[in-house]
Amino acid sequence: MAAAGTTGLILTGGGARAAYQVGVLSALARLRREAGVAAGNLFPIITGTSAGAINAAALACACDDFDAAIDRIARVWCEFRAEQVYRADSLGVIRTGANWLTMMSIGWVIARWRKARPRSLLDNEPLSRLLDELVPFDRLPALMRDGHLSALAVSASSYTSGLHVTFFDASGPIVPWTRSQRLAVRTPMSKAHLLASAAIPFVFPAVTLQLDGQPEYFGDGSMRQVAPISPAVHLGADRIVVIGAGRMHEPPGRRVSADGYPSIAQIAGHALSNIFLDALSADVERLTRINRTIALLPREARSQTHLRPIDVLVIAPSQRLDDLASQHLDSLPRPVRALLRGVGVSGRGVDARGAALASYLLFEAPYTRTLMALGEADTLSRRDEVESFFGWSRPSALRPCALSASPRAEAVAT
């Protein structure tokens, strides 16, 4: 059982949408500075999935200087270009995306030729080089030994066995957990784990990882992730900050985005939203119900259960990231725009089609900066809740004339 106040961080998946997380983290660092809290790592336990795993690992590997780590990650996202993540030149797109679409249409004719079988829509080989610069895994053992970090976990999904696997490393003894169709594996963390966790289905190729001494092909960790909060709890967190990459709740009323039969891009965007967003909402609701149930138990009954209340703060976008992406479709490199037009991504703004799919691939500065600004603004707008969660007190000179009472963490999660 964790010591009181062990705070975990959960960064969810979402491709380019993960820029929002960086804005939130920047705002948290700012609020701590304004509260005059001593420097140090805010999150002894850090877990991530998909693009969130990359942010999580980059933060964990530099957590001895939290503010500097956030600034470094923010600089990358502020200047992002798609070519840093996947081949966006004409030749690269033809070798993967165009070939993939050809196989989808006339694959029955050429399937016998193995060379004509692309593994994914895009080639993310450039991401491997970026990770070498952004995530210095060689620093992790010392950071754990010196007490800056308790645990780092990254989740991926096996195409080979169908299992959802959380790979983790920790400074202390942690018993790996096993649940239905999901398990945890203790192992030194590596770049391959990040590439596997961030391998968006169909878009990026699967990655080979060892599981029980056997090679298995792994893809995006958001697939089959029915309990995204679980790894942080198993690793000992009893206070958790969850940063999402999509709206947790849509406003009331039906939203009709297009007329006619849906394009491949619309269907793919809907499927990715289901993979990346729905499990988090369900798990937060489940955790809230457990917290309320535990609160109803007598003290003696609480001592006889392995359940414990988890204080949780969820920060998620206040705007639809699909809509923001629709304003920046022309930021994508021309070959990528041409490829996406082939599956139904077109238009701009209110006339855009397929923006949901594009929102995961828009690793371009105009879009990522917009998401970072939104993340920072959303966090600062909830300053009172954040300060209450962390127990920070602003100097009197920074306080407004009247402060409203902050809701309990359980209310934040609903």
Side-chain angles (χ1 to χ4, degrees), residues 22-33 70 375-380 386 392:
V22 183
V24 173
L25 291 170
S26 297
L28 292 178
R30 170 184 165 181
L31 292 178
R32 183 177 67 167
R33 290 194 299 269
I70 298 303
E376 189 165 3
D378 284 349
T379 305
L380 295 178
V386 172
W392 297 337

Side-chain angles (χ1 to χ4, degrees), residues 139-161:
R139 300 193 73 233
L140 270 183
L143 291 171
M144 291 185 179
R145 184 180 61 247
D146 296 341
H148 296 291
L149 183 71
S150 296
L152 169 66
V154 170
S155 295
S157 183
S158 173
Y159 293 120
T160 305
S161 64

Side-chain angles (χ1 to χ4, degrees), residues 6-11 25 41-49 52-63 66 70 140 144 148-154 166-169 189 231-232 235 237 241:
T6 302
T7 306
L9 173 66
I10 296 175
L11 300 178
L25 291 170
N41 182 18
L42 274 178
F43 305 106
I45 296 169
I46 301 177
T47 72
T49 305
I54 295 174
N55 284 337
L59 176 58
C61 290
C63 64
F66 185 87
I70 298 303
L140 270 183
M144 291 185 179
H148 296 291
L149 183 71
S150 296
L152 169 66
V154 170
T166 296
F167 298 95
F168 74 94
D169 199 3
M189 305 303 296
L235 292 170
V241 174

Side-chain angles (χ1 to χ4, degrees), residues 388-411:
S388 176
F389 178 86
F390 284 103
W392 297 337
S393 297
R394 272 173 285 169
S396 57
L398 295 176
R399 294 176 185 171
C401 296
L403 291 175
S404 58
S406 298
R408 296 294 300 164
E410 288 84 357

Side-chain angles (χ1 to χ4, degrees), residues 199-276:
I200 300 174
F202 301 109
V203 178
F204 297 141
V207 176
T208 305
L209 297 174
Q210 293 291 319
L211 190 62
D212 293 331
Q214 299 294 324
E216 296 193 15
Y217 286 100
F218 282 83
D220 201 291
S222 296
M223 295 185 292
R224 309 200 73 174
Q225 188 178 39
V226 296
I229 297 176
S230 174
V233 175
H234 282 290
L235 292 170
D238 53 15
R239 297 157 41 79
I240 296 175
V241 174
V242 181
I243 306 179
R247 292 182 66 160
M248 295 288 290
H249 302 286
E250 293 296 334
R254 194 164 64 97
R255 179 186 175 96
V256 179
S257 58
D259 297 325
Y261 194 82
S263 66
I264 293 176
Q266 288 175 273
I267 295 172
H270 184 75
L272 290 178
S273 295
N274 176 270
I275 291 171
F276 286 116

